[in-house]
Amino acid sequence: MPTLVQTPARGSARQQPQAATVFPYDSGDLRRFRELQQLAYTCAERVGAWLEPGVTERQASARLGRELAAAGVQDFFHVHFAWFGDRTAFRHFHTPLQFFPSRRRLEEGMPYILDCAPVIDGYTADIGYAGRVGASPVWDRIDRDLREYRDLIVVEARRRTPFNEIYARVDALIARHGYDNRHRVYPGRVIGHQVTRTTARGPAGVSVLGFGIRTLQTLGREFLGERRYGRSPLWADGRASRHAPTPGLWAVEPHVAFRDVGLKFEELLVVTDDDAYWLDDDLPHVRRWQRAADTSSDIATDVATDVAVEAR
């Protein structure tokens, strides 16, 4: 619950509300959020394995919806998205309608991104799953670099670096890599947004402008509540994000691109009163990075062994 500073003496500055910094979830809540995030990634992986040249974004999005429904999902934070080719980099996106799945067909060598946000019993996940069909050296290079963004974000959140400054440091890393910032194309230029356990009672499975009815009801309450403290449930680079990370869960999605190849991950970041950590490390992109690191380590070991043998 919000708290107030002590009543000032007569003639001093007006009383200002201050938000209590109390983490709102217990271990049982975190387990439910984690299970739902795993479910969302599992469904996205199944669709990724099913994709092949000729499939359209709309077909991929519909398949993702069927996978989620079969897993018991009846509501969602936002509609399911699928982007192929240069649309993964949001090239020529100027209106919100351009984010919706199109008739773009997948081709050999194309990247793709699947994005879904299921809700079960009020618990919400919001994930981004990236892949490619066939070989793409550019995609592989971006994917290797993307791990640095995940590390950077959690380190800065632990330091209580203001949200807008973390955004700026991600921007600086993108520039050093020679990529483009594409999360700035999202509505509100967001790199993330707060996720809560919804308690709204609107109709489940019904969307308006891409967002579930219950999502809009919840977001409305969050905007009003956070505005009172000069904050926002959206994480961007503006004035409303000039504050230390707010305790709670944040869906974070650094999205970068090189020319027509876009890549991102999206997962839940836990921000407590004095710490921050990713909700789960057993995720497809994290496992992919670990396999690559293990392979590099094995190669380095083999080379060192060969050198030692030759030196005898």
Side-chain angles (χ1 to χ4, degrees):
M1 296 291 291
T3 60
L4 296 175
V5 297
Q6 292 182 343
T7 302
R10 183 175 299 177
S12 62
R14 290 183 59 190
Q15 191 177 33
Q16 294 294 328
Q18 294 180 337
T21 55
V22 178
F23 185 66
Y25 304 112
D26 60 24
S27 59
D29 290 322
L30 292 180
R31 175 181 56 80
R32 292 293 302 274
F33 279 113
R34 188 181 299 111
E35 289 172 349
L36 183 56
Q37 181 170 257
Q38 282 283 345
L39 182 150
Y41 264 111
T42 296
C43 291
E45 284 187 291
R46 288 174 180 164
V47 175
W50 167 81
L51 289 175
E52 62 182 13
V55 172
T56 68
E57 290 180 349
R58 291 182 180 178
Q59 289 172 327
S61 173
R63 178 64 179 257
L64 183 55
R66 291 195 295 273
E67 291 284 351
L68 290 166
V73 175
Q74 296 178 329
D75 201 7
F76 46 84
F77 184 85
H78 61 64
V79 297
H80 327 305
F81 294 105
W83 302 299
F84 296 165
D86 65 340
R87 284 174 51 80
T88 61
F90 295 164
R91 298 304 180 197
H92 313 298
F93 279 31
H94 303 294
T95 69
L97 292 177
Q98 291 174 293
F99 288 94
F100 289 93
S102 73
R103 293 188 175 88
R104 172 67 58 85
R105 292 188 180 277
L106 194 61
E107 298 176 10
E108 188 71 20
M110 270 190 178
Y112 64 82
I113 296 175
L114 304 174
D115 190 311
C116 65
V119 178
I120 293 181
D121 295 334
Y123 294 96
T124 304
D126 197 348
I127 67 104
Y129 177 78
R132 57 184 173 28
V133 173
S136 175
V138 172
W139 191 96
D140 292 341
R141 176 165 62 89
I142 299 174
D143 183 49
R144 287 194 299 270
D145 290 337
L146 205 59
R147 184 173 190 171
E148 294 184 43
Y149 299 89
R150 190 176 191 264
D151 294 340
L152 171 67
I153 289 167
V154 74
V155 166
E156 295 299 336
R158 284 173 180 160
R159 291 174 178 168
R160 310 297 291 168
T161 303
F163 272 150
N164 67 310
E165 292 184 23
I166 300 177
Y167 193 110
R169 292 175 192 183
V170 170
D171 267 355
L173 182 57
I174 292 172
R176 287 199 297 275
H177 283 151
Y179 302 144
D180 296 330
N181 173 340
R182 304 319 292 162
H183 46 263
R184 68 182 180 186
V185 182
Y186 286 108
R189 298 173 58 89
V190 299
I191 192 174
H193 58 85
Q194 199 163 20
V195 167
T196 63
R197 186 180 181 192
T198 63
T199 57
R201 291 293 180 262
V206 178
S207 66
V208 175
L209 300 176
F211 290 93
I213 290 290
R214 295 182 179 183
T215 293
L216 294 175
Q217 292 173 333
T218 302
L219 281 176
R221 287 199 302 269
E222 289 177 359
F223 269 111
L224 291 175
E226 292 297 291
R227 185 178 180 181
R228 185 182 182 190
Y229 308 110
R231 303 183 312 209
S232 169
L234 303 181
W235 177 352
D237 56 348
R239 179 175 300 176
S241 293
R242 294 177 187 173
H243 59 82
T246 308
L249 292 181
W250 292 82
V252 187
E253 51 185 331
H255 192 152
V256 304
F258 181 75
R259 296 178 181 170
D260 289 342
V261 177
L263 199 63
K264 77 165 184 174
F265 65 82
E266 184 175 12
E267 57 176 298
L268 296 180
L269 177 71
V270 181
V271 177
T272 68
D273 307 326
D274 56 6
D275 195 10
Y277 56 91
W278 296 106
L279 179 62
D280 194 354
D281 286 327
D282 186 19
L283 300 177
H285 49 283
V286 181
R287 294 194 296 267
R288 188 170 62 240
W289 297 333
Q290 188 58 56
R291 286 195 299 270
D294 291 343
T295 299
S296 297
S297 178
D298 290 343
I299 292 174
T301 299
D302 291 343
V303 170
T305 300
D306 292 342
V307 170
V309 171
E310 291 177 3
R312 292 176 182 174

